[in-house]
Amino acid sequence: MRKYEVMYIIRPDIEQEAVQATVDKFQGIISNGGEITKHDVMGKRRLAYEIKKFRDGVFVLVNFNGTPEVIAELERLMKISDEVIRYLITNDVA
């Protein structure tokens, strides 16, 4: 398994329960084929520029170990999720 880091931004106009449900959904996908080493919900922050007509977003950072299949499934679900406005999955070299 390789080390990865994913940062994703959730829409700011949804309720806290929906934010937690989204975070739990992605945690479950990662835990299904890997293990989470660090998870941090950074909270609502101002974006540097407007994304999909939003100026703010709820930032979530997750470090985990996983297989390429987990990455493919995570990326597929983040693309079709209405709650996620932007995401980035990278190899964690540190």
Side-chain angles (χ1 to χ4, degrees):
M1 288 203 277
R2 289 185 172 171
K3 292 182 179 182
Y4 292 98
E5 178 179 89
V6 61
M7 167 78 82
Y8 57 98
I9 306 171
I10 301 173
R11 292 175 27 192
D13 62 345
I14 59 176
E15 290 82 25
Q16 185 62 31
E17 295 84 27
V19 169
Q20 189 59 44
T22 303
V23 169
D24 291 341
K25 176 175 73 170
F26 292 128
Q27 277 185 333
I29 293 165
I30 294 169
S31 298
N32 195 16
E35 67 173 296
I36 297 174
T37 57
K38 181 182 173 195
H39 183 267
D40 186 21
V41 178
M42 300 168 75
K44 188 184 279 191
R45 298 194 177 201
R46 191 84 159 150
L47 299 172
Y49 53 89
E50 193 172 286
I51 301 173
K52 296 185 182 176
K53 302 198 180 194
F54 293 110
R55 294 293 297 158
D56 298 318
V58 179
F59 284 68
V60 181
L61 176 67
V62 182
N63 293 358
F64 64 97
N65 299 323
T67 60
E69 292 80 23
V70 172
I71 302 303
E73 180 67 12
L74 190 62
E75 189 166 359
R76 183 185 75 81
L77 288 174
M78 283 190 176
K79 279 183 187 176
I80 62 174
S81 176
D82 290 334
E83 292 87 14
V84 176
I85 58 175
R86 188 65 50 98
Y87 71 93
L88 181 64
I89 302 172
T90 59
N91 286 338
D92 191 10
V93 293

